[in-house]
């Protein structure tokens, strides 16, 4: 069982297990959403993800492409992402997890939008757009 929270601590969640795929995403939307060079999301089935507290102050941003991102309306922490066509999957911001864990990203995606001021030297596969697209 994994637990995570936002910066102010009002929103907490639990994840039973993560799927095997965990990518660093360099797309422009992720950069803006996190205010950082890239995001790192892990995937869980919605049935294995649960908001524990603060669901009432969660805000949802719906992008023009129909994907949704959820964040804390009190402190602004970026918490989740859902693609428009996979509503059964919840992608969770790995950096918002609390405590130690052994999760490990396995790829960089949307590297075509990567900022020039970061050098990737971790040896993970880099995809120009989504996974599998060089
Ligand atoms: Zn918060
Ligand atoms: Zn992204």
């Amino acid at each position: 069982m994994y637990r995570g929270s936002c910066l102010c601590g009002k929103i907490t969640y639990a994840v039973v297990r993560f799927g095997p795929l965990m990518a660093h995403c360099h797309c422009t939307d992720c950069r803006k959403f996190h205010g950082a060079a890239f995001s790192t999301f892990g995937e869980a089935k919605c049935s294995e993800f649960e908001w524990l507290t603060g669901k009432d102050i969660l805000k949802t941003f719906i992008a023009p492409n129909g994907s949704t991102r959820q964040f804390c309306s009190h402190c602004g922490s970026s918490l989740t992402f859902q693609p428009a066509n996979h509503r059964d999957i919840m992608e969770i911001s790995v950096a918002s997890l609390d405590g130690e864990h052994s999760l490990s990203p396995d790829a960089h995606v949307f590297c075509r939008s990567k900022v020039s001021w970061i050098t990737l030297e971790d040896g993970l596969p880099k995809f120009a757009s989504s996974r599998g697209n060089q």
Side-chain angles (χ1 to χ4, degrees):
M1 179 73 82
Y2 300 87
R3 283 174 186 263
S5 58
C6 63
L7 176 59
C8 74
K10 292 180 189 292
I11 297 178
T12 57
Y13 63 83
V15 185
V16 176
R17 79 176 60 81
F18 281 92
L21 303 180
M22 183 172 293
H24 299 299
C25 183
H26 298 262
C27 83
T28 309
D29 284 7
C30 280
R31 283 165 45 194
K32 296 287 186 185
F33 184 52
H34 285 294
F38 56 87
S39 70
T40 308
F41 282 113
E43 289 186 359
K45 291 178 187 161
C46 283
S47 58
E48 297 188 320
F49 173 88
E50 184 185 10
W51 296 109
L52 298 176
T53 59
K55 199 175 176 186
D56 54 318
I57 61 164
L58 201 59
K59 282 265 199 256
T60 301
F61 170 74
I62 304 172
N65 67 10
S67 64
T68 56
R69 293 172 188 266
Q70 290 176 293
F71 60 96
C72 175
S73 62
H74 186 68
C75 69
S77 290
S78 313
L79 296 170
T80 70
F81 171 79
Q82 272 189 307
N85 52 352
H86 290 290
R87 292 297 182 200
D88 52 332
I89 292 289
M90 184 68 91
E91 295 193 23
I92 298 122
S93 168
V94 176
S96 68
L97 288 173
D98 294 313
E100 292 299 312
H101 58 75
S102 58
L103 299 168
S104 185
D106 65 339
H108 291 272
V109 298
F110 289 90
C111 291
R112 67 183 177 204
S113 336
K114 186 183 85 59
V115 296
S116 60
W117 39 272
I118 288 277
T119 306
L120 306 177
E121 296 182 337
D122 55 14
L124 297 179
K126 302 176 189 128
F127 301 110
S129 58
S130 56
R131 208 176 266 279
N133 297 295
Q134 290 297 346

